[in-house]
Amino acid sequence: MKTISIIQFLLAFGIGISSLFVLFKVITLSMKRFYKIEEENTSFAVFQTGIVVSGAFILSSIISPAINAIRFLNPDNNFTSESIISSFGYITMFVLIGLFCTILVIASGLLVLFQLTKVNEGEEIRKNNIGISLITIAIILGLSIIVDEYVGAMCETLIPYPAIPKFY
């Protein structure tokens, strides 16, 4: 039981650090490129913070399915090269699903908000309008909280559990 607990911790830490770093870089570079944000300002920092927290909500939901995949594919902590490769494949697939869903939630949240208002939020964030940044992040965080459980459930359905016999 000790081995699986250490693996769970390392898995959660590794997925968290790497995924949030990638998410932060992708969103920051795209916002800087699209809205020509050249210097860091408080509004953009608030926006970046919200993006990281939003990503953490969604990406945290893939940890449990990843751990379940490891447990199912390595019964009794018998790790073979085949089961390790298979487990790594599932974990990679779950991380990619989590990142895709996170970027989808952020992009759709921004798109909907930008279309619903008469304000150019990207331009306002560039001008250091903290109020617009907070509203934008509130929408994205709200969507992330709503969606996170379902991303984990979607990953869980991909684990090849054995069929349960029906007694009727």
Side-chain angles (χ1 to χ4, degrees):
M1 190 62 175
K2 238 186 222 184
T3 306
I4 197 74
S5 298
I6 293 169
I7 291 172
Q8 288 173 351
F9 171 75
L10 293 175
L11 178 67
F13 186 76
I15 288 173
I17 289 291
S18 60
S19 299
L20 290 177
F21 177 76
V22 167
L23 178 67
F24 176 79
K25 285 296 187 183
V26 166
I27 297 298
T28 299
L29 289 175
S30 62
M31 283 293 289
K32 282 184 173 184
R33 190 170 295 145
F34 192 71
Y35 289 107
K36 310 285 189 265
I37 299 173
E38 296 173 3
E39 60 185 55
E40 296 291 324
N41 61 44
T42 307
S43 181
F44 190 58
V46 168
F47 179 80
Q48 290 171 312
T49 303
I51 294 298
V52 170
V53 172
S54 173
F57 274 123
I58 294 175
L59 292 168
S60 69
S61 69
I62 68 166
I63 301 298
S64 181
I67 291 168
N68 288 342
I70 291 172
R71 284 186 180 156
F72 177 72
L73 296 169
N74 301 291
D76 302 324
N77 290 337
N78 293 329
F79 295 97
T80 64
S81 60
E82 182 181 314
S83 68
I84 291 171
I85 291 170
S86 184
S87 297
F88 184 73
Y90 276 98
I91 292 166
T92 303
M93 182 173 50
F94 295 161
V95 169
L96 292 175
I97 290 170
L99 282 172
F100 174 77
C101 290
T102 302
I103 291 171
L104 182 68
V105 164
I106 292 167
S108 61
L110 290 174
L111 182 67
V112 168
L113 180 66
F114 290 6
Q115 296 301 315
L116 289 176
T117 62
K118 305 270 189 243
V119 178
N120 184 343
E121 284 83 359
E123 182 67 25
E124 293 298 319
I125 290 172
R126 188 175 69 75
K127 291 179 182 176
N128 204 18
N129 187 338
I130 295 174
I132 294 293
S133 184
L134 289 172
I135 291 169
T136 303
I137 288 307
I139 297 291
I140 292 171
L141 282 173
L143 283 172
S144 297
I145 291 169
I146 292 168
V147 168
D148 75 335
E149 183 179 329
Y150 302 105
V151 173
M154 181 173 50
C155 290
E156 191 75 39
T157 62
L158 299 174
I159 299 173
Y161 291 116
I164 298 174
K166 295 180 183 179
F167 297 105
Y168 53 95

